[in-house]
Amino acid sequence: MSALMELRKVWGHRPLISVGVGLLIQDERGRVLLQRRGDDGLWGTPGGALEPGEDFLTGARRELLEETGLVCPDLSLLPVAEGLISGPESWHRYPNGDEIYLLGMRAHGTLSAAALDGARPDDSGETLELAWFALDALPELSANINRAKMSLLRARVGLPPLPLEPTPPAPPVGNFLRELRRFVGSRPLFAPGANVLVTDAENRLLLLRHGDTGLWTLPGGSLEPGESFEQTAARELREETGLMANRLEPLEMFAGPDYRFTSPNGDVVDYVSVLYRAHGVGGVLTLQAGEVLGAAWFGVDELPADDELSGELIRANLRHWKEGQSTQP
């Protein structure tokens, strides 16, 4: 049984966050591979939820094999600006009443049309049928998340986007992970969220001292149901620092086994985190009481040692920033 189904035992039909990957497979004519789903009989792309500790590309290859029996040699994740899945349009209610916010990444690959002759989906019942469809002759699609994926491909060939179905208002921002912990204890949970690079006029990077660990971290935090990654980045930046950005540029997605973190209280999370760069930052630096013990600005050669940073995710975020500085003219 999947980790998500285990959560359903204690959470019921209420909205959950599912971290997963959607696959956009096209043939030599530009047609897209769709599966007719076993739950609602409608069409969508192959894909599904990650398992704890799994990265997106590994999950994409696994889901493609399970749902189609196919292997796509050139399968790769889309650039983060195109590949992100999140936001209110990612809400879906399954026929059994389960509500979910799907988020994660999209992967793209190509196969010959003839490859479908060798398709052998597994016996789970998720895939009733597989077929190629032209982007201007799509069947009835299951859920907004599939409409959004098709609109991405349609835009590439000059076709208009598909209309989205209405979605319910997002739940009030609270502390989704903390509430979930009441039911599941310290077991590994996905922690989707965002961190933000904020620099000053001297190109020094803003770091915060974490209230629980005393270690240095970036402004950022966990995504709440119904939020996009960008909305999370903006909210956490404002809450933790009092600052606001005119624009948040997505730089990179960080996910996989390297980014598992154990809190001082024993809670285990697998981070699924988008790193943003803040542009046009304004406001007065005002630290969030309790959450943040202090703040400082660091030049690229002045960053704290690795053991002073709050885990591998933050270390990887800072390496990304440093590498970006080295490539600038």
Side-chain angles (χ1 to χ4, degrees):
M1 181 177 291
S2 72
L4 194 64
M5 291 301 100
E6 288 287 342
L7 290 179
R8 282 292 177 201
K9 292 180 180 179
V10 297
W11 195 252
H13 295 306
R14 291 182 293 163
L16 277 172
I17 289 174
S18 175
V19 176
V21 61
L23 284 80
L24 301 174
I25 308 295
Q26 293 183 276
D27 70 2
E28 61 270 25
R29 293 166 52 188
R31 297 181 302 175
V32 63
L33 178 63
L34 298 180
Q35 61 172 171
R36 192 161 66 84
R37 299 174 53 89
D39 55 4
D40 61 11
L42 302 179
W43 293 85
T45 67
L50 298 189
E51 293 299 322
E54 193 172 45
D55 64 73
F56 282 108
L57 193 53
T58 300
R61 291 168 176 150
R62 174 183 54 77
E63 288 288 342
L64 182 64
L65 187 62
E66 290 174 358
E67 296 184 354
T68 72
L70 299 173
V71 174
C72 181
D74 69 352
L75 189 66
S76 61
L77 297 180
L78 288 173
V80 66
E82 279 191 314
L84 287 179
I85 301 169
S86 65
E89 67 274 11
S90 72
W91 175 86
H92 182 59
R93 181 187 288 119
Y94 292 99
N96 67 359
D98 290 348
E99 294 187 46
I100 203 161
Y101 284 96
L102 300 153
L103 60 101
M105 288 288 287
R106 302 178 178 110
H108 184 271
T110 55
L111 287 171
S112 70
L116 207 54
D117 296 339
R120 298 292 184 273
D122 66 15
D123 59 2
S124 67
E126 288 188 63
T127 303
L128 301 180
E129 185 181 354
L130 292 164
W132 297 105
F133 288 92
L135 293 171
D136 60 356
L138 294 168
E140 186 176 1
L141 296 172
S142 173
N144 280 339
I145 195 165
N146 285 299
R147 298 181 187 96
K149 283 182 277 190
M150 293 304 98
S151 291
L152 176 66
L153 294 180
R154 284 164 62 91
R156 292 181 173 184
V157 294
L159 293 171
L162 299 177
L164 300 179
E165 298 289 337
T167 57
V173 172
N175 194 313
F176 175 73
L177 272 179
R178 183 182 301 164
E179 177 68 12
L180 203 53
R181 285 287 180 205
R182 295 176 50 214
F183 295 88
V184 302
S186 297
R187 62 185 281 185
L189 291 174
F190 284 112
N195 290 327
V196 186
L197 299 174
V198 179
T199 53
D200 65 7
E202 300 174 41
N203 201 34
R204 297 178 303 171
L205 183 67
L206 177 65
L207 295 181
L208 309 177
R209 247 190 214 287
H210 196 281
D212 289 336
T213 65
L215 300 174
W216 291 103
T217 188
L218 289 166
S222 295
L223 180 146
E224 292 291 314
E227 280 189 320
S228 68
F229 285 107
E230 182 174 335
Q231 287 170 331
T232 299
R235 175 178 55 79
E236 290 287 346
L237 178 63
R238 183 179 66 253
E239 290 176 356
E240 293 186 344
T241 71
L243 303 175
M244 291 180 286
N246 288 335
R247 182 169 68 90
L248 289 165
E249 175 191 4
L251 301 178
E252 190 65 67
M253 167 68 87
F254 294 84
D258 290 341
Y259 306 113
R260 175 164 287 188
F261 180 78
T262 302
S263 300
N265 66 359
D267 291 346
V268 179
V269 296
D270 287 336
Y271 284 121
V272 178
S273 182
V274 181
L275 181 63
Y276 286 87
R277 182 187 301 279
H279 297 274
V281 176
V284 177
L285 184 61
T286 307
L287 303 183
Q288 185 178 20
E291 292 279 334
V292 181
L293 299 179
W297 299 90
F298 294 88
V300 68
D301 297 319
E302 303 167 343
L303 294 170
D306 278 359
D307 61 1
E308 297 180 81
L309 298 173
S310 181
E312 180 55 29
L313 174 63
I314 299 302
R315 289 191 281 271
N317 287 173
L318 297 195
R319 287 195 296 270
H320 186 93
W321 179 65
K322 289 179 67 174
E323 291 165 3
Q325 306 310 298
S326 67
T327 60
Q328 290 183 2

